[in-house]
Amino acid sequence: DVKVTQSSRYLVKRTGEKVFLECVQDMDHENMFWYRQDPGLGLRLIYFSYDVKMKEKGDIPEGYSVSREKKERFSLILESASTNQTSMYLCASSRPDDLSYEQYFGPGTRLTVT
Amino acid sequence: KQEVTQIPAALSVPEGENLVLNCSFTDSAIYNLQWFRQDPGKGLTSLLLIQSSQREQTSGRLNASLDKSSGRSTLYIAASQPGDSATYLCAVRLGFKTIFGAGTRLFVKA
């Protein structure tokens, strides 16, 4: 079974802090994604990566950056956390080459910025 | 711009009832459509994936259909159980991007 893990289930940070959210997958997937989920807005794509050191902006990249130094690990960075970044963050991965394959999601990190 | 709509937003049914959740999308040029389940405060669990060339997929008590030409998909749940209570999301894949619906919150009463 594909396993996608996220470093924290719950995180509380202060405004202005630098925040790292980490995601690891164990199935050699080349594609990895970061989403945020907010009530009434659904899931929105922040960034995705289709290979090591490769990244593309999603629909809402402002205030975020990402890092993919190793194939299995995709990190989301909040350079200076703000209260409007309080949200549920979900990481996903999918198999390489064939865009028809499924996305597999991690358990999510609920981030609160105070 | 692709939009995905799910109706109803919420549904409450007695245990044992068969039910249908609806998903519609505006652009038929999709790679696939995926149905997910999400329990409160948790991540998404994939239920069924329908490729763009397929019409339906089945897994246990679940059956999902896809009609690309009309931009519709349905998720049929047979003999619902309290354990089916969750939010159900549909998502359409366009290249690297996936567009999600807002979900249908299902409550199955014992």
Side-chain angles (χ1 to χ4, degrees), chain A residues 33-34 45-50 54-66 74, chain B residues 96-97:
Chain A
F33 309 82
W34 274 107
L45 181 65
I46 305 172
Y47 268 96
F48 66 95
S49 169
Y50 51 90
M54 306 302 288
K55 61 186 179 186
E56 291 286 341
K57 292 180 180 179
D59 298 317
I60 51 164
E62 297 78 18
Y64 303 94
S65 62
V66 290
F74 191 35
Chain B
F96 280 110
K97 289 196 173 182

Side-chain angles (χ1 to χ4, degrees), chain A residues 60-111:
Chain A
I60 51 164
E62 297 78 18
Y64 303 94
S65 62
V66 290
S67 172
R68 185 116 180 253
E69 296 296 320
K70 292 185 177 182
K71 194 174 187 178
E72 67 271 18
R73 190 180 297 269
F74 191 35
S75 300
L76 180 69
I77 303 159
L78 287 65
E79 297 290 343
S80 178
S82 64
T83 55
N84 64 11
Q85 292 178 310
T86 291
S87 186
M88 172 71 120
Y89 290 87
L90 292 161
C91 174
S93 71
S94 68
R95 292 173 67 165
D97 303 325
D98 187 336
L99 294 176
S100 293
Y101 275 84
E102 298 178 56
Q103 286 195 43
Y104 297 87
F105 280 80
T109 295
R110 185 165 293 281
L111 173 66

